[in-house]
Amino acid sequence: MILGFKPQFKPKIQSGSKIHSIRIDKNNRWKPGRKIHFATGVRTKNYECFKEDECKSIQQVELNFWNSSPTILIEGKRISYELCEQLAKNDGFEDLSELMRFFGIKNIKAKIIHWTDFKY
């Protein structure tokens, strides 16, 4: 399945510094074993599939950014601020603040799609 990315994430995926992606998955499409086609320019004439891999695992994640004290839950367990920062960096952001700006000030229930053996 195609997993589309903004162009700034391509070099981070290729270098191995972005090791997963947080996605809302309303139709429960992402499961371990699914083939991943990493791409930029999805649904445009600039489409580029730059990598293929496999979904190794998924984890449920809740991002709660509606107040000045953000909380993140993985598999229902609140994680420390330090682990929130690591999650942001592992997802290709400079820090938690950048991840929060990307997703906006709201609550999100999503999945972490892993293509490495790393898990939280």
Side-chain angles (χ1 to χ4, degrees):
M1 289 191 340
I2 296 170
L3 197 54
F5 294 93
K6 294 189 179 291
Q8 69 262 28
F9 293 116
K10 179 182 172 183
K12 293 178 179 189
I13 292 167
Q14 291 174 317
S15 72
S17 62
K18 179 173 172 62
I19 61 170
H20 56 59
S21 189
I22 298 171
R23 300 297 173 108
I24 296 171
D25 187 17
K26 292 178 188 173
N27 297 319
N28 202 30
R29 298 173 356 144
W30 288 104
K31 298 177 181 356
R34 288 270 168 126
K35 185 171 273 265
I36 302 172
H37 296 268
F38 297 79
T40 56
V42 176
R43 295 187 188 95
T44 73
K45 63 180 179 164
N46 299 318
Y47 175 83
E48 177 193 6
C49 180
F50 61 89
K51 178 180 173 157
E52 290 185 23
D53 210 327
E54 180 181 304
C55 176
K56 302 273 190 203
S57 65
I58 57 113
Q59 289 183 286
Q60 301 297 322
V61 64
E62 291 183 47
L63 309 174
N64 299 303
F65 297 151
W66 52 270
N67 63 25
S68 61
S69 178
T71 58
I72 298 177
L73 289 82
I74 298 177
E75 300 295 342
K77 296 178 185 171
R78 185 176 179 169
I79 62 173
S80 68
Y81 180 80
E82 291 77 21
L83 200 51
C84 289
E85 285 286 342
Q86 182 182 355
L87 173 83
K89 289 178 182 175
N90 288 344
D91 207 61
F93 297 96
E94 293 301 315
D95 56 25
L96 181 58
S97 296
E98 187 179 14
L99 175 97
M100 290 172 62
R101 284 190 301 276
F102 184 84
F103 281 103
I105 306 300
K106 55 188 166 188
N107 295 338
I108 297 169
K109 290 186 179 185
K111 288 182 179 175
I112 304 170
I113 302 169
H114 294 277
W115 52 86
T116 70
D117 292 326
F118 180 87
K119 286 182 89 171
Y120 295 94

